Amino acid sequence: MNIPTKKEAIKGAFFGAIVGDALCLGSHYEYDAQKIYEAYGRKPIEKFMSPGEMMGGETHGIGWGQRNYHPGKSAGGTTDYGDYNILVLEYLAAISDTPRPFNVANMIPHWMKRLENGWGSWICTMTKETYAQVRQGYPVERLGGISNAMAIRHVAAHGYYETEEELVDVARKTMFTHKNAEALGGGEFFARVTHRVLNGETPANAIEMVARQMGGFFSDKVSQAIAKYQEEADENSALHKELFSDDLAITSMARLWDIGRSEPIKVGKASPTEGTLPGAVYFILKYADKENGLIEALKANAMVGGDNASRSIAIGMVLGAYMGVNAIPNEFKQTLEQWEYCENLLNTLPLLKG
């Protein structure tokens, strides 16, 4: 593997996340991996797709019903996870001339303007709740709801802030719509891992180091992911021999989801951090040392379905930091709707200027 420069690695982290998210647009919230596989011609996804493309224009979000979750988007666009990361990039670019600590209150007017003017993607319950709180005059420190869904939004900050603790601060603050400790900790976990990868650690080492540092829930979830990765990698295991081994691996790492008891759905494929974090770690470990590992990991994650977009941000950020922006094939650079727009903004950030 060619070792990327620091700038290539930072851009790789951002575009790895955004490309991964865009690859999920077509299957986001479809919980039937076999349906995705059949719809995509019994092979991994090869290009960006519009919401529900090849699947009747809708996906089956458990608890939310079958619908088009991103009605304003087309192939090459992003889900709400990608949108949030682009929104934070826009804010950071606007204050790039005089680097300063991240301030949620200063970003909120931009956030509200974006939500009110053709957002186009799914607006999650926590975003709706927080928007209502802002309109009611809540102070920043009281904003957010109790969702345990992991929503990483800080990827661009790796081009703005140099220290790990600054990045942890931004990771938590950009998730201002959430109060849940597991969700906020998930953002912190991947901020720390990505920072260490950008500074020379391998993904596996960074993941294990941060898991030991954070301990508790996060250490347990990483241990679970490592065990599942090793099981799937064992050519003699029953899991390895399954056609949908990734799907089975992801769904096996969390309890049954209450709302899905009438359907074969587990939290591992849904939004809660208890499934999203080990699911992302599983894909990172599986593909970190493979040729074309970044794009292959992002494709494999998209094919599993569920809340694959949430996992894609973490997977793309870490592996993109490891392999660099040049690991993204040209066809994805050329067909991602906002590649040039985002690259121009990235080039204004303190660590990417010049």
Side-chain angles (χ1 to χ4, degrees):
M1 184 184 81
N2 292 327
I3 298 175
T5 66
K6 186 69 171 288
K7 289 183 178 181
E8 289 169 348
I10 293 170
K11 286 187 176 183
F14 183 84
F15 282 116
I18 299 302
V19 167
D21 175 76
L23 280 168
C24 293
L25 182 65
S27 58
H28 194 206
Y29 295 134
E30 176 53 62
Y31 278 80
D32 187 340
Q34 188 164 348
K35 178 182 175 182
I36 298 169
Y37 180 70
E38 296 292 339
Y40 289 0
R42 302 175 68 85
K43 58 188 176 182
I45 187 171
E46 296 177 319
K47 62 180 182 178
F48 296 129
M49 295 195 188
S50 60
E53 187 174 337
M54 310 300 292
M55 291 185 287
E58 296 180 333
T59 51
H60 189 196
I62 301 304
W64 301 100
Q66 184 147 322
R67 60 195 292 182
N68 179 350
Y69 286 86
H70 306 287
K73 294 304 180 81
S74 56
T78 45
T79 79
D80 47 312
Y81 291 99
D83 292 345
Y84 258 109
N85 277 287
I86 294 171
L87 182 154
V88 172
L89 169 61
E90 290 169 339
Y91 171 70
L92 290 174
I95 61 168
S96 61
D97 288 341
T98 51
R100 65 195 80 175
F102 193 88
N103 186 297
V104 176
N106 290 345
M107 189 182 75
I108 281 178
H110 178 58
W111 171 71
M112 296 187 75
K113 183 178 178 181
R114 289 280 262 107
L115 284 176
E116 293 165 353
N117 291 277
W119 181 249
S121 295
W122 173 249
I123 300 178
C124 70
T125 303
M126 293 302 96
T127 295
K128 292 177 182 176
E129 186 173 329
T130 306
Y131 180 86
Q133 291 170 347
V134 172
R135 295 297 295 266
Q136 293 166 29
Y138 278 50
V140 168
E141 59 273 14
R142 287 182 54 206
L143 293 177
I146 61 172
S147 172
N148 60 356
M150 192 174 76
I152 295 173
R153 302 165 178 167
H154 72 274
V155 187
H158 290 280
Y160 193 99
Y161 298 99
E162 293 195 69
T163 72
E164 186 168 315
E165 296 311 315
E166 285 177 309
L167 288 158
V168 167
D169 179 61
V170 181
R172 287 178 165 272
K173 285 179 177 176
T174 52
M175 289 176 64
F176 63 96
T177 55
H178 292 59
K179 293 179 180 178
N180 179 271
E182 291 178 3
L184 293 168
E188 174 179 340
F189 177 86
F190 285 108
R192 292 188 184 279
V193 168
T194 303
H195 177 73
R196 295 182 193 197
V197 171
L198 286 170
N199 286 281
E201 287 292 346
T202 65
N205 285 346
I207 285 167
E208 292 192 34
M209 289 165 60
V210 176
R212 285 196 299 271
Q213 177 181 345
M214 294 184 68
F217 168 85
F218 303 98
S219 179
D220 291 346
K221 284 289 148 186
V222 168
S223 295
Q224 188 180 30
I226 291 171
K228 191 59 62 175
Y229 152 67
Q230 292 172 339
E231 179 187 352
E232 199 278 338
D234 180 359
E235 294 181 359
N236 296 315
S237 71
L239 178 60
H240 178 84
K241 296 171 184 175
E242 291 281 352
L243 176 60
F244 296 99
S245 61
D246 289 339
D247 181 59
L248 291 169
I250 298 302
T251 55
S252 72
M253 287 196 285
R255 61 184 166 81
L256 281 170
W257 193 16
D258 292 344
I259 203 167
R261 282 182 177 167
S262 64
E263 304 175 66
I265 304 303
K266 295 186 178 182
V267 167
K269 290 177 67 168
S271 307
T273 306
E274 69 179 89
T276 304
L277 188 150
V281 169
Y282 166 88
F283 280 111
I284 291 166
L285 295 176
K286 181 173 178 177
Y287 289 93
D289 296 317
K290 294 188 176 183
E291 187 177 0
N292 303 319
L294 170 60
I295 205 69
E296 295 304 316
L298 297 176
K299 288 180 177 182
N301 172 64
M303 295 300 292
V304 168
D307 195 358
N308 47 10
S310 177
R311 297 189 303 268
S312 74
I313 300 298
I315 298 165
M317 180 168 67
V318 174
L319 291 182
Y322 186 48
M323 300 178 186
V325 68
N326 293 328
I328 300 173
N330 283 331
E331 60 263 32
F332 292 107
K333 296 179 181 179
Q334 292 162 2
T335 54
L336 184 75
E337 278 187 0
Q338 299 190 80
W339 184 287
E340 185 176 357
Y341 172 71
C342 290
E343 186 165 44
N344 288 337
L345 293 176
L346 282 169
N347 287 336
T348 70
L349 301 185
L351 303 185
L352 292 171
K353 282 182 179 179

